[in-house]
Amino acid sequence: GQNIDQPTEMTATEGAIVQINCTYQTSGFNGLFWYQQHAGEAPTFLSYNVLDGLEEKGRFSSFLSRSKGYSYLLLKELQMKDSASYLCAVREGNYQLIWGAGTKLIIKP
Amino acid sequence: DVKVTQSSRYLVKRTGEKVFLECVQDMDHENMFWYRQDPGLGLRLIYFSYDVKMKEKGDIPEGYSVSREKKERFSLILESASTNQTSMYLCASSLRSDSYNSPLHFGNGTRLTVT
C-alpha cells in the first residue's frame, strides 16, 4: 500500500543543524517534495528531488535515495523562524501526491 | 508570484446547510485541487480538476462535490454539511500534469466549523 512516514515532532536549538527524515512506500514515483507550513498558514514549496543525491538550496538541503525509499531535509544554521511543520509528499502518478502527516519542528533559543 | 485565493478564512455553518468554498488562481494553471487537513493526518485529496469542466475524485470525495466552469476558479461544495466535515480546507493549483516537478501552490485555507 501507500505509506509515508515522518517523525511527529522534533526539537532543535537555534544555530544548530537538524535532519528531518521521510520514508515512503508508493506504487509509483515521479519525485518527492518538501513543503514548509507555519501554523495557520498555507504550505509553501521548499524542494523537489527525483534523482538520487543531495540538492542544496541555501540553508536547506534535500536528499533522496530511491532504492531505499528514503529522503531527508537538512536545515542548517537554524533560526527561530524555521519553527514550522515540514511536509514530505511523493508524486505517485501524473496528479496524485501522497502526503506524510508532517513533522513539527520546534526551535529553542 | 502565483496567487491562490480562497474566499473565506473562517466559516461557521450549521449541520445540514449547503456550503460553498471558492478558490481562484491567477497564473493560468491547468490543475486545481481541494484538500482537507486534520491534525495528525496528512493532506487528504477530496477532488481535483485538470481542465475546465473536468473533475476527478480524490481519496475522500464522499459528501463533497466540485465545479470548475472557468479555468481560474474551482469551487468545493458540501451538499449537506456534517460535523465530521469540520476541518481546514486547502485549495491548490499547479501547471499541467506532465510537469512532474511543478509544485502545488496553496491558498491560505478555509477553517470550516460545522455545529
Side-chain angles (χ1 to χ4, degrees), chain A residues 35 37 40 42 91 94-96, chain B residues 9 37 97 100 102 104 107:
Chain A
Y35 284 79
Q37 186 177 24
R91 187 182 293 282
N94 284 349
Y95 304 104
Q96 277 277 34
Chain B
R9 195 70 198 268
Q37 186 173 35
S97 59
Y100 290 147
S102 172
L104 296 183

Side-chain angles (χ1 to χ4, degrees), chain B residues 1-5 24-29 72 93:
Chain B
D1 258 3
V2 178
K3 192 163 185 186
V4 180
T5 303
V24 177
Q25 51 95 3
D26 67 357
M27 283 300 291
D28 205 35
H29 281 174
E72 67 270 18
S93 71

Side-chain angles (χ1 to χ4, degrees), chain B residues 44-84:
Chain B
R44 292 184 291 168
L45 183 63
I46 304 170
Y47 268 95
F48 68 97
S49 168
Y50 53 87
D51 202 350
V52 176
K53 297 193 185 295
M54 304 304 289
K55 59 185 179 184
E56 294 285 343
K57 292 180 180 179
D59 299 318
I60 51 165
E62 296 79 18
Y64 304 94
S65 62
V66 291
S67 171
R68 194 167 181 200
E69 296 297 317
K70 294 184 178 181
K71 190 174 186 180
E72 67 270 18
R73 186 179 296 270
F74 192 36
S75 302
L76 180 69
I77 303 143
L78 285 66
E79 298 291 343
S80 176
S82 63
T83 55
N84 63 10

Side-chain angles (χ1 to χ4, degrees), chain B residues 11-13 19 78 85-89 110-114:
Chain B
L11 272 180
V12 180
K13 297 291 181 181
V19 182
L78 285 66
Q85 292 179 309
T86 291
S87 186
M88 171 68 86
Y89 289 88
T110 297
R111 185 164 293 281
L112 173 68
T113 302
V114 183

